[in-house]
Amino acid sequence: MTLLLSPDDAGIARAADLLRQGELVAFPTETVYGLGGDARSDRAVAGIFAAKGRPSFNPLIVHLPDLAAAEAIAQIGPQARDLAAAFWPGPLTLVLPLRADAGISPLVSAGLPTVAIRVPTHPLAQRLLRAFGGPVAAPSANPSGRVSPTRAEHVLDGLSGRIAAVLDGGPCAVGLESTIILADPDPILLRPGGLPVEALEAALGASLAIGGAADRPNAPGQLASHYAPEAGVRLNATHAQGDEVLVGFGPVKGALTLSETGDLVEAAARLFQTLRDADRLAGPGGRIAFAPIPETGLGRAINDRLRRAAAPRD
Ligand code: TXA
Ligand code: MG
């Protein structure tokens, strides 16, 4: 059975113990809940792939408490260092050259010479990482291809009975996965996410090339159909057609809304919960329509997730 751990010293100590035993523990970050396992343990990392039903060629993100811990695992180039100084802890993942002596299971990086590292700012994530004292591999804590979890209940909905525990930290503040960047030698955006591209470009003083295209599906976030609810999804809708559940934004009113005032930060925080709510309202064989979202700030990541939710399924 999956334990629901409370967000106090006892819950964190229990979660850290379970990680030490090679067990899987879901924990809150400011972006989404992660499904954590000891990144040094082949058994734990293989367990993450098995629990999610994730194709094993998709590499995982390693979670660490700070830059010093990251330096033991990866080489931090000049631009990566600037970005880490500006945005860690926070919703930014850097893809970096993996150190030969890092001790990370090769399953984490799927055999690549690079490793994705993230330093979350969520206080419970920070406390858990420090209590555990080692690198934690953690994809989003949902079955592969489904909507990412932004509450402990979402984790249990998808993975109950398949993982040891969930540390309950309530709803995630950002609500979208981290932005992934290859910083050096040339900055490339691999996944839009909870840190807006505009903020990264301002810090770099340069524009970001767009990478991680659909022709390089080395991760679920890069497969066309992902974040998929049960219902079919239509985008850029201003009215519901037939019995569609319309999800509004700003002036477009619907049965639900991502943000009545057209606030992209609020819309990001509510996106995955709203996908779940709309799915429930639509019912079996139902359809969801989403109002247009501007392609600026967090809107870029919201639209990325919505396009994947709407992509043809296999
Ligand atoms: O916000 C987040 O990033 C959440 C929380 C839990 O931290 N985690 C997350 O992990 O979204 P996941 O596994 O769902 O997404 C991992 C992404 C994949 O899209 C993959 O492309 C990228 O990380 N990735 C990991 N290692 C990589 C590498 N060496 N090179 C390029 N991309 C990599
Ligand atoms: Mg994911």
Side-chain angles (χ1 to χ4, degrees), residues 79 82-84 86-87 91-94 178-181 183 187-189 191-208:
Q79 297 192 101
D82 286 351
L83 292 178
F87 300 114
L92 171 67
T93 294
L94 294 172
S178 60
T179 302
I180 306 181
I181 298 286
I188 299 175
L189 176 71
R191 177 176 75 183
L195 182 65
V197 165
E198 290 87 341
L200 284 156
E201 291 184 331
L204 287 165
S207 61
L208 275 172

Side-chain angles (χ1 to χ4, degrees), residues 31 34 54 59 61 63 114 116 118 139-140 177-178 180 191 219 222:
T31 58
R54 178 168 184 164
I61 297 174
H63 294 66
T114 54
R118 168 152 142 70
S140 52
E177 298 86 347
S178 60
I180 306 181
R191 177 176 75 183
Q222 296 174 12

Side-chain angles (χ1 to χ4, degrees), residues 140 142 148 226:
S140 52
N142 52 287
S148 295
H226 195 57

Side-chain angles (χ1 to χ4, degrees), residues 153-287:
E153 305 88 85
H154 300 166
V155 177
L156 290 173
D157 281 350
L159 297 175
S160 185
R162 312 183 73 168
I163 63 176
V166 186
L167 185 59
D168 187 357
C172 300
V174 175
L176 294 170
E177 298 86 347
S178 60
T179 302
I180 306 181
I181 298 286
L182 184 73
D184 293 289
D186 298 311
I188 299 175
L189 176 71
L190 298 181
R191 177 176 75 183
L195 182 65
V197 165
E198 290 87 341
L200 284 156
E201 291 184 331
L204 287 165
S207 61
L208 275 172
I210 309 295
D215 59 333
R216 252 193 20 192
N218 63 347
Q222 296 174 12
L223 297 173
S225 172
H226 195 57
Y227 306 99
E230 302 287 338
V233 175
R234 183 169 70 91
L235 304 182
N236 295 316
T238 48
H239 299 89
Q241 293 174 359
D243 54 8
E244 277 177 342
V245 174
L246 178 64
V247 179
F249 178 82
V252 177
K253 308 293 175 204
L256 302 170
T257 183
L258 287 178
S259 170
E260 238 161 27
T261 58
D263 175 359
L264 289 168
V265 173
E266 180 185 31
R270 287 164 63 155
L271 178 65
F272 291 143
Q273 175 74 54
T274 303
L275 265 171
R276 287 166 193 268
D277 293 343
D279 212 12
R280 207 168 300 123
L281 275 179
R287 296 196 56 83

